[in-house]
Amino acid sequence: MPREHWTLEEFPFHPERLLHLETLMTLGNGYLATRGSFEEGYAGSMPTTMVHGIFDHAPGMLVPELVNAPNWLPIHITVDGTPFQLVNPNDVSLTPKEGALLGYRRVLHLKQGVLRRECLFRAESGSIVRLVFERFPSLHDVHVLAQRVQIIAVDGEPEIVVEAFIEQQVTNAGVNHWTAVQSGSENQVVSVQMKTGQSGYSLGMASQLVSQTPVEIVMDSAQQRPVMRTSFKLNREESAELVKLSAIYTSRDVEHPLNAAVAKVYEAVATGYAKLLHDHQAEWFKYWDSSDIVIEGDETSQFALRFVMYHILIAAPRHDDDVSIGAKTLSGLGYKGHVFWDTELFILPPLTLTQPALARNLLMYRYHRLAGARNKAKANGFEGAMYPWESTDTGEETTPQWSDVQPDGSRIRIWTGDSEQHICTDIAYAILQYWRWTGDDAFLQQHGAEMVLDTAVFWGSRVEWKAEHNRYEISQQIGPDEYHENIDNSVFTNRMVVWHLGAALKLLDRLKAHAPADADRLTRALDLNPARLAKWNDIIAKMYIPFDEAERRHIQFPGFFDMEFIPVPHYQPRTASVQAILGHARSIQTQVIKQADVVMLMALLGDELAPHDVLVNNWNTYYPRTDHGSSLSPAMHAWVAAMLGLNEEAYDEFEHAAAIDLQDNKGNVRDGIHGAASGGVIQAVLFGFCGLKIDDAGQLTATPRLPAHWKSVSFTVYYRGRRRHFTVRNPVVETPLA
Ligand code: BGC
C-alpha cells in the first residue's frame, strides 16, 4: 500500500479491506477523530467519530466507554436516479447493484491531514461521472469539519441529486448512549442536539451544504431528521462543486454547544473551504516541522514511521489538558477509549521529545485525576495515590472485572484492575522523563512532583516486610506479562518501585534546594515525614529483586523457571498467539510470556539495571519465551536488541512492530490503531537505532546502531526548550539548524 512516503493509497478498491482501511484512514485533530468511512456509507461500515472526554456508562454495561458522536459525513448522490454506492448494501464483496465503478483511488495525505477519494462511476443510464471527495477536521479550528465534493460529467448529461445530513442514530456497536435527541434547521443550517444518558454530556452539531444551486431543507420523516438537498443537470465535461461544512461542540467546551456549533458553521461558511483548507494544512506543516523523522535508505520504514507519528498526532489533545489518549487512540471502539500505561510509556515519549506542549497536556490529565487515584488507594487500604489500570473521565478504576460472555456462556475474571499496579511507577517515569527532556521546572514543581511523590507514598504503604527474609516483597501483582496473573514479586514491578522511590527522594531534595516553598507544601500535604522517607530508603536497600546468581540473569518472578518450557520460535509460522494455540489454562502453567517484561525493564532502565553480561543473559532467556501476544511487545524488543548490538533481531522486531497496523497481522485493526505500538516504533528508532539519550552529565548524545541498509536518520527534538537537529549515521553528526 505505501506508494509514496507521505501518502497511504488504496488503488484499486479493496472491498474486503474496508474496515481495516477505515481505521488506517482515520482523520483527527486532537479534539476528535473520524474513521475513514464513506460519505455514502456501506453495509458493515463502522462510521465513528469520537470526541475526547465524552464518556458514558450505558445501562447494563460493565464499564463506561468513549461515545460515538453523530456522523457528520453523509453525502448521498444520485446520478440519473442511480444512487452512487460502491458496495452492494446486501453484500460487501460485490460491486454496486446499479451502476458500475470504473475507477477508484483513495489517498490519505499524512502531511496535510486530508483524505481524498476519486471514483469514476457509470449510472444505469450510461452517464459517467468522476466524483472527487475530500475532507478534513480542521487542525486550525478543531470544531470545524470540512468536506468538498467535485462532480464532473465525463460522459452524458447527468441529472444529479445531492442529499447531505447529520446521522444522529449512532451507537457504539449497538449500545446507545444518547438520549434527548433533537434535530432542527434554521437559515440553511441543520443541527442536532444530544445528551448522553448517564454522564449527561451535551453535544451540538450543525451543518450547511453550500452549492451554486439552491439548497432546500426537507424532512426525512422516517429518520426524523432534516436533509439538505440540491439538484442540477450537468452538460458533458461540466463540473459542480459542493461543500459541506459542519461544526461540533460539547458541554465540555461551552455552556450551549448547539448555539456554538451553529455560529461556527456560519463562520466557516463565511471563511470558505479554500481558506479553511489552507489554514488546516499550515498547522499540519508546523507539526511535521518538529515531528518528522527522515530515514535515508529504507522507503518502507520511512513511510511506516510517518504513519505512526501521524496517528499519534491526530490523537494528541492540543487545547485540553483534561483528556488523554486511549489504547486504540480515537480511531475505533477497541478498549472503549480507556487510558492505560500505553499512553505514558509508549505514546508519550515521542511527544515529549518532539511536541512537549502536547506531552504536558497528557501528564496534566493524570494530575487532574489524583483524587481518583487517592480514592483507589484508600479503598484498597493503602496511602497515597494508586492510579487505575484503566482510566476514563472520572479517574476511578474502570477496568471491567469480567470479560464479555465467552462462547461457552461463561465470563472470565479480569485481574488487571486489581493487580497491574505498576501503572503508578509508569506514570512517575513519564513525568520525570518529560522533566529531564524539557527542563519544565514549573510543571514539575506545581504538578509533576505531587504525582511522583504521592504514588511513592502509595508504594511505601503497599510493600510487605518479610522479617524471615529480612526483605520487602510485593505480592499479588501482574507485570507487563499478563499471562501470569497474581504472582508474587514481579521483578519488573519490584525493581521499578526501587527506581521510583529513589527518584522520589532525589526529587524532594531538589525541591528543597530549588523550590523550598513547594517542598514545604508537599511535605505537609502528603505527610512526607522523616519516618516515611527513612522507610523509602530502607525499601530501596532491602527490596527483593528476583535474580539468579548462577545464571547471572533476572527472574521474571520466583517459580517462573519451574514451569514448563515451550520453545516459542518453533511455533512459527503462526498468526495466533501461542497462548491461543495452547489454550489459556495450559499456557499459564508454562514459561510463555505475553510481551516484553524483563525486556521492558531493560528498555526503561538500560545500564542502570545491570552490567552488560546480565542484560545479554536476560535477552537470551526471555526473547525465545515471548510470543508477542500484545502489540506493545515487538517495538520494545527492537529497542533493546539495538541497545545490545543485536542488529538482525532489532530490525526483525522493528519490521514486525511497524507492520502491526499497516498489514493488520493481528486481524483486529478494525477496532482501532494500536497506539502503544505506534509510539513504540518511534522509540525503537530514536532510543534503539539512534541510541539517543541524556547522559549523566546532562548532555544529549546519540550512539548510532542503525540497520545495515539505513544510510541515516534525521530528526528534530526539543531539549530543555532548544530545538536540536540530529542526523545520525556512522559516526554521529549534529547538524546546525537550517
Ligand atoms: C496489553 C497491555 C496493554 C493493553 C492495552 C493488553 O493486551 O497486555 O499491556 O496495556 O493491552 O493496549
Side-chain angles (χ1 to χ4, degrees):
M1 271 184 302
R3 291 166 59 92
E4 287 177 40
H5 306 158
W6 280 108
T7 55
L8 176 67
E9 296 197 23
E10 181 196 12
F11 170 75
F13 183 41
H14 280 289
E16 76 291 353
R17 302 189 72 171
L18 274 170
L19 292 177
H20 175 206
L21 286 161
E22 205 177 86
T23 299
L24 299 190
M25 298 218 176
T26 295
L27 293 170
N29 57 16
Y31 172 79
L32 56 63
T34 299
R35 287 165 61 84
S37 318
F38 292 161
E39 286 74 0
E40 66 281 7
Y42 48 83
S45 171
M46 295 159 61
T48 307
T49 290
M50 291 203 282
V51 185
H52 266 310
I54 304 299
F55 283 95
D56 184 63
H57 195 160
M61 302 302 290
L62 290 175
V63 288
E65 63 184 340
L66 207 52
V67 176
N68 185 14
N71 180 11
W72 52 282
L73 299 178
I75 301 177
H76 294 183
I77 298 170
T78 54
V79 182
D80 288 337
T82 306
F84 165 68
Q85 274 238 314
L86 296 196
V87 186
N88 182 320
N90 302 318
D91 184 346
V92 285
S93 64
L94 295 178
T95 42
K97 215 185 236 161
E98 304 172 87
L101 181 65
L102 308 178
Y104 176 94
R105 181 187 299 277
R106 179 159 57 149
V107 184
L108 172 67
H109 294 264
L110 304 178
K111 195 168 191 172
Q112 27 184 306
V114 170
L115 184 60
R116 289 201 180 90
R117 181 168 60 120
E118 272 185 74
C119 304
L120 195 62
F121 181 72
R122 186 176 55 219
E124 284 289 278
S125 63
S127 294
I128 297 176
V129 292
R130 177 186 305 285
L131 299 158
V132 186
F133 295 88
E134 183 176 272
R135 68 180 188 237
F136 61 93
S138 172
L139 193 64
H140 175 72
D141 183 342
V142 296
H143 300 282
V144 174
L145 312 166
Q147 290 168 276
R148 182 176 65 182
V149 193
Q150 290 165 308
I151 308 174
I152 301 123
V154 174
D155 201 6
E157 296 181 347
E159 286 281 353
I160 307 287
V161 178
V162 178
E163 293 191 335
F165 56 92
I166 298 170
E167 176 57 84
Q168 62 200 36
Q169 315 240 342
V170 283
T171 63
N172 284 42
V175 177
N176 181 33
H177 289 280
W178 298 106
T179 55
V181 180
Q182 275 181 320
S183 53
S185 67
E186 207 180 319
N187 293 335
Q188 299 290 299
V189 172
V190 299
S191 62
V192 59
Q193 171 158 260
M194 314 174 40
K195 198 168 183 170
T196 55
Q198 166 271 331
S199 53
Y201 292 112
S202 304
L203 180 149
M205 190 181 272
S207 190
Q208 181 168 351
L209 182 69
V210 182
S211 167
Q212 278 154 346
T213 50
V215 176
E216 52 170 346
I217 298 191
V218 292
M219 196 62 199
D220 177 341
S221 40
Q223 303 292 333
Q224 299 209 323
R225 70 180 164 219
V227 174
M228 302 173 283
R229 185 174 196 277
T230 189
S231 54
F232 46 86
K233 187 175 180 68
L234 292 177
N235 294 323
R236 184 193 299 257
E237 290 186 18
E238 204 186 347
S239 66
E241 179 177 294
L242 296 117
V243 167
K244 180 181 177 192
L245 295 174
S246 308
I248 176 170
Y249 280 88
T250 75
S251 50
R252 292 193 65 251
D253 313 312
V254 290
E255 203 180 331
H256 299 295
L258 179 64
N259 296 354
V262 171
K264 185 56 82 180
V265 167
Y266 289 138
E267 188 189 310
V269 170
T271 305
Y273 186 87
K275 170 92 169 83
L276 292 172
L277 178 62
H278 172 270
D279 292 348
H280 166 74
Q281 288 169 332
E283 283 300 312
W284 265 104
F285 297 158
K286 278 194 225 160
Y287 260 180
W288 285 116
D289 188 41
S290 312
S291 291
D292 191 25
I293 300 171
V294 179
I295 298 174
E296 239 190 319
D298 186 338
E299 300 194 356
T300 308
S301 299
Q302 171 67 84
F303 173 76
L305 211 56
R306 286 185 173 142
F307 178 78
V308 292
M309 187 63 98
Y310 164 85
H311 274 284
I312 289 178
L313 291 174
I314 64 171
R318 309 188 84 200
H319 308 294
D320 192 342
D321 70 2
D322 205 20
V323 292
S324 189
I325 303 176
K328 300 281 188 181
T329 66
L330 291 172
S331 60
L333 299 178
Y335 284 123
K336 303 187 181 301
H338 292 188
V339 180
F340 296 66
W341 72 318
D342 304 39
T343 311
E344 281 76 16
L345 289 192
F346 294 82
I347 299 173
L348 201 117
L351 295 172
T352 294
L353 271 58
T354 74
Q355 304 282 346
L358 302 187
R360 188 182 187 281
N361 282 346
L362 294 171
L363 293 174
M364 286 301 293
Y365 162 83
R366 295 290 191 181
Y367 180 75
H368 296 307
R369 280 157 190 77
L370 263 171
R374 287 176 178 142
N375 288 344
K376 182 173 175 188
K378 207 167 175 184
N380 285 277
F382 304 119
E383 296 178 276
M386 182 186 189
Y387 278 100
W389 176 246
E390 295 186 28
S391 182
T392 56
D393 51 345
T394 61
E396 305 298 325
E397 180 59 73
T398 46
T399 307
Q401 285 200 331
W402 298 96
S403 71
D404 290 335
V405 179
Q406 302 296 296
D408 65 0
S410 67
R411 288 182 187 267
I412 298 172
R413 178 70 162 86
I414 297 175
W415 290 104
T416 48
D418 306 66
S419 309
E420 205 153 352
Q421 298 172 1
H422 66 78
I423 179 79
C424 300
T425 67
D426 307 334
I427 292 171
Y429 186 96
I431 291 165
L432 291 170
Q433 184 185 44
Y434 168 83
W435 173 71
R436 266 160 59 78
W437 277 87
T438 60
D440 186 347
D441 290 331
F443 167 79
L444 188 71
Q445 286 158 213
Q446 289 156 27
H447 310 289
E450 188 171 342
M451 293 186 270
V452 174
L453 292 167
D454 217 20
T455 42
V457 170
F458 158 69
W459 285 119
S461 72
R462 172 65 188 82
V463 298
E464 298 139 46
W465 173 246
K466 299 284 174 184
E468 65 278 28
H469 299 302
N470 192 34
R471 69 189 184 198
Y472 291 93
E473 298 192 1
I474 308 177
S475 60
Q476 291 285 308
Q477 294 299 301
I478 302 180
D481 166 23
E482 295 179 343
Y483 290 167
H484 297 101
E485 297 174 322
N486 296 333
I487 49 147
D488 297 342
N489 295 307
S490 141
V491 74
F492 178 90
T493 308
N494 289 18
R495 183 60 185 85
M496 286 305 289
V497 168
V498 168
W499 168 86
H500 186 164
L501 295 177
L505 287 165
K506 272 194 225 142
L507 170 62
L508 194 58
D509 284 345
R510 191 192 151 83
L511 290 179
K512 284 179 184 156
H514 299 283
D518 291 307
D520 267 10
R521 174 176 57 81
L522 292 169
T523 299
R524 264 182 277 113
L526 311 181
D527 191 17
L528 304 177
N529 58 57
R532 190 188 296 282
L533 304 185
K535 183 170 180 194
W536 291 2
N537 272 311
D538 201 45
I539 298 169
I540 293 169
K542 298 186 192 143
M543 174 65 89
Y544 174 37
I545 307 294
F547 190 78
D548 180 340
E549 292 293 347
E551 302 284 341
R552 287 191 55 73
R553 65 183 179 189
H554 286 94
I555 303 172
Q556 191 178 299
F557 57 88
F560 178 80
F561 292 111
D562 301 338
M563 295 184 298
E564 183 189 356
F565 170 74
I566 302 279
V568 171
H570 295 181
Y571 282 74
Q572 295 292 14
R574 61 182 167 88
T575 46
S577 66
V578 175
Q579 192 210 35
I581 296 169
L582 298 181
H584 180 257
R586 167 140 183 249
S587 67
I588 56 171
Q589 312 288 349
T590 74
Q591 294 176 32
V592 178
I593 302 168
K594 183 177 185 187
Q595 64 200 91
D597 186 299
V598 174
V599 169
M600 184 77 195
L601 190 58
M602 295 203 279
L604 296 180
L605 300 184
D607 307 341
E608 195 185 324
L609 178 65
H612 188 75
D613 69 306
V614 173
L615 300 183
V616 171
N617 293 341
N618 282 347
W619 172 273
N620 289 335
T621 302
Y622 294 105
Y623 184 48
R625 289 170 165 81
T626 305
D627 86 341
H628 295 321
S630 160
S631 67
L632 279 62
S633 191
M636 294 301 107
H637 280 82
W639 170 1
V640 171
M643 184 173 100
L644 298 176
L646 303 167
N647 297 351
E648 212 172 295
E649 287 90 336
Y651 189 68
D652 277 0
E653 291 306 331
F654 172 81
E655 270 194 305
H656 180 176
I660 284 173
D661 286 322
L662 285 169
Q663 287 176 13
D664 197 11
N665 48 21
K666 286 189 169 286
N668 61 3
V669 176
R670 60 175 56 200
D671 298 331
I673 289 289
H674 295 84
S678 302
V681 166
I682 299 168
Q683 296 191 69
V685 171
L686 295 181
F687 301 141
F689 295 149
C690 298
L692 189 66
K693 71 177 201 186
I694 302 169
D695 69 14
D696 295 339
Q699 292 299 311
L700 197 52
T701 62
T703 311
R705 359 190 224 216
L706 304 186
H709 62 292
W710 289 18
K711 288 194 190 131
S712 68
V713 180
S714 304
F715 54 89
T716 304
V717 291
Y718 284 88
Y719 180 53
R720 307 215 168 141
R722 259 188 67 208
R723 256 169 84 101
R724 304 278 294 269
H725 187 73
F726 278 80
T727 296
V728 173
R729 50 171 83 94
N730 288 315
V732 60
V733 182
E734 186 180 349
T735 49
L737 274 179

